């Protein structure tokens, strides 16, 4: 019973996290397939602890910043972003584009830090804290390239390839098409995509590897408008990208934390000690 209640609370939090403008009670109950009275009790409990608030005008329920604050506080105390920021700043300056850090939070890959190198003209800027789509982003494809085909496809099937309207025009529509991009990344040493995740955008990504386990624990990426981030520009940036990823791979405090977080598949239940 307790486990079922916790699962419902987590499902509710994840649902609201995907709807920053909030949702009405009826929609929440229908989406989670629970009675309206049960949804209201969960929301009331979260509201009592300031994790949820109800908009006085629309009646919609939405998350407060408390969850985000906890996440940011946790990341700041691990030192992960502090360690990575100087590397991101350098990469953004060298490339003149958006540099981002994604970390493996198995089985997810999440963007947690960035630096903007474009000072004028078109600027590409993705959202932090969001889960990267594995089949369309250079970030996702780079990670998949570090895994066995079996594990990579299992992760992709969990998330899905994505509906055409959610992706760019060059997004892979089949597993075979995706594996072409994955194998190209393996051969090249980094992933490269154009118009797969977002129309008009190109990106490249290289993995950060744990020095002991050899598992990818995250990656660095460079993204920008396709008109500017061309294949010629990609080739010019690649050495800096690979060097930056290697730098972070060698930092013990950085790699040890991320290795424990998601550099390998997690067990279903925490071990007793």
């Amino acid at each position: 019973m307790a486990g079922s209640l916790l699962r419902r609370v987590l499902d509710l939090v994840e649902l609201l996290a995907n709807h920053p403008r909030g949702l009405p009670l009826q929609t929440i109950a229908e989406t989670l397939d629970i009675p309206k009275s049960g949804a209201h009790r969960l929301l009331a409990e979260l509201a009592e602890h300031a994790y949820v608030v109800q908009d006085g005008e629309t009646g919609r329920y939405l998350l407060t910043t408390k969850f985000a604050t906890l996440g940011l506080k946790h990341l700041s105390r691990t030192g992960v972003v502090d360690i990575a920021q100087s590397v991101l700043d350098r990469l953004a300056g060298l490339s003149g584009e958006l540099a981002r850090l994604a970390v493996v939070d198995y089985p997810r890959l999440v963007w947690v830090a960035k630096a903007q190198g474009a000072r004028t003209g078109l600027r590409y800027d993705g959202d932090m804290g969001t889960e990267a789509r594995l089949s369309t982003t250079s970030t996702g494809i780079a990670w998949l390239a570090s895994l066995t085909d079996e594990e990579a496809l299992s992760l992709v099937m969990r998330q899905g390839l994505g509906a055409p309207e959610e992706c760019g025009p060059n997004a892979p529509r089949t597993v075979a098409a995706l594996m072409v991009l994955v194998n190209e990344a393996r051969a090249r040493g980094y992933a490269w995509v154009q118009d797969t995740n977002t129309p008009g955008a190109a990106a490249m990504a290289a993995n950060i590897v744990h020095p002991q386990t050899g598992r990818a624990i995250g990656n660095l990426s460079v993204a920008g408008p396709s008109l500017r981030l061309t294949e010629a520009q990609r080739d010019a940036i690649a050495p800096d990208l690979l060097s930056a990823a290697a730098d972070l791979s060698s930092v013990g405090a950085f790699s040890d934390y991320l290795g424990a977080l998601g550099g390998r598949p997690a067990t279903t239940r925490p071990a007793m000690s």
Side-chain angles (χ1 to χ4, degrees):
M1 181 67 71
S4 176
L5 177 60
L6 176 60
R7 181 67 262 174
R8 286 184 176 182
V9 171
L10 294 175
D11 287 343
L12 173 55
V13 169
E14 291 180 0
L15 175 64
L16 292 179
N18 287 320
H19 295 84
R21 295 185 178 180
L23 291 171
L25 176 59
Q26 184 66 39
T27 302
I28 293 171
E30 291 175 355
T31 304
L32 298 180
D33 193 24
I34 60 177
K36 191 174 178 180
S37 59
H40 185 266
R41 283 195 298 272
L42 295 178
L43 288 163
E45 187 74 16
L46 287 168
E48 183 178 342
H49 295 281
Y51 287 101
V52 164
V53 66
Q54 185 178 21
D55 188 300
E57 293 185 2
T58 66
R60 289 172 169 248
Y61 290 88
L62 59 156
L63 293 180
T64 68
T65 60
K66 195 168 181 179
F67 280 111
T69 301
L70 287 173
L72 291 171
K73 182 186 295 184
H74 173 66
L75 276 179
S76 68
R77 291 184 176 178
T78 65
V80 166
V81 174
D82 289 340
I83 293 170
Q85 195 61 57
S86 63
V87 176
L88 283 169
D89 291 342
R90 185 179 78 236
L91 182 59
L94 291 169
S95 66
E97 302 292 355
L98 176 69
R100 291 190 286 183
L101 167 68
V103 300
V104 175
D105 186 3
Y106 206 95
R108 306 182 310 140
L109 192 61
V110 182
W111 284 299
V112 299
K114 65 182 178 180
Q116 179 59 260
R119 303 305 178 194
T120 60
L122 292 172
R123 290 172 58 145
Y124 176 77
D125 207 342
D127 293 329
M128 293 297 97
T130 58
E131 181 176 353
R133 184 170 294 281
L134 303 182
S135 62
T136 58
T137 64
S138 64
T139 293
I141 291 169
W143 185 35
L144 296 178
S146 75
L147 307 172
T148 65
D149 287 356
E150 181 181 16
E151 185 176 3
L153 292 177
S154 174
L155 291 170
V156 170
M157 291 303 100
R158 164 196 162 270
Q159 191 183 60
L161 287 174
E165 63 271 16
E166 298 175 338
C167 309
N170 293 338
R173 305 299 182 198
T174 65
V175 167
L178 170 61
M179 291 310 297
V180 169
L181 295 177
V182 170
N183 287 323
E184 286 177 351
R186 287 170 177 162
R188 192 185 293 115
Y190 62 90
W192 163 252
V193 296
Q194 285 181 308
D195 302 319
T196 55
N197 190 61
T198 304
M204 55 197 296
N207 287 320
I208 301 164
V209 179
H210 192 284
Q212 274 75 52
T213 67
R215 296 275 298 189
I217 54 177
N219 58 49
L220 289 174
S221 62
V222 172
S226 299
L227 292 175
R228 192 168 63 214
L229 189 52
T230 61
E231 291 189 14
Q233 184 67 357
R234 173 202 70 188
D235 293 343
I237 293 171
D240 294 323
L241 174 66
L242 293 169
S243 176
D247 286 347
L248 287 182
S249 298
S250 67
V251 178
F254 183 89
S255 60
D256 287 346
Y257 170 74
L258 292 186
L261 176 67
R264 55 184 176 275
T267 56
T268 302
R269 294 181 181 274
M272 297 293 291
S273 58

